[in-house]
Amino acid sequence: MSSPDIPQKAPYAVEVEAGKKYWWCACGKSKTQPFCDGSHKGTPFAPVEYTAEKSEKVWFCGCKHSASKPLCDGSHKQC
Ligand code: FES
């Protein structure tokens, strides 16, 4: 199984808007982290959809190894 790239070993803090959909980059290759820009084409990865339940700051995984994708679970400490 291939591993995703690791754009940063820390989460990305993002102010999300209630009801809005976001596509989190799972491959690690996007230039618009933490979101997908289509760079996963040709890799085994696909973006993960996230719908904001409320307007708030959330922490998207930056190392791409979180067990609770697309959000950070602290896994970057082991990367
Ligand atoms: S660019 Fe990484 S999942 Fe789309």
Side-chain angles (χ1 to χ4, degrees):
M1 205 185 131
S2 49
S3 289
D5 287 4
I6 299 175
Q8 74 174 25
K9 292 184 178 178
Y12 293 93
V14 177
E15 296 280 352
V16 295
E17 278 175 52
K20 197 171 164 191
K21 273 187 191 167
Y22 298 84
W23 292 93
W24 174 80
C25 167
C27 72
K29 295 183 185 307
S30 173
K31 298 281 186 284
T32 55
Q33 293 296 333
F35 303 117
C36 176
D37 72 351
S39 297
H40 60 271
K41 286 197 182 76
T43 77
F45 298 99
V48 175
E49 184 181 344
Y50 175 84
T51 304
E53 285 175 15
K54 52 182 178 172
S55 296
E56 62 181 341
K57 183 189 278 187
V58 297
W59 301 89
F60 285 102
C61 172
C63 74
K64 311 302 177 184
H65 286 73
S66 172
S68 34
K69 298 174 180 62
L71 301 179
C72 175
D73 72 348
S75 291
H76 56 272
K77 295 187 186 102
Q78 272 81 53
C79 285

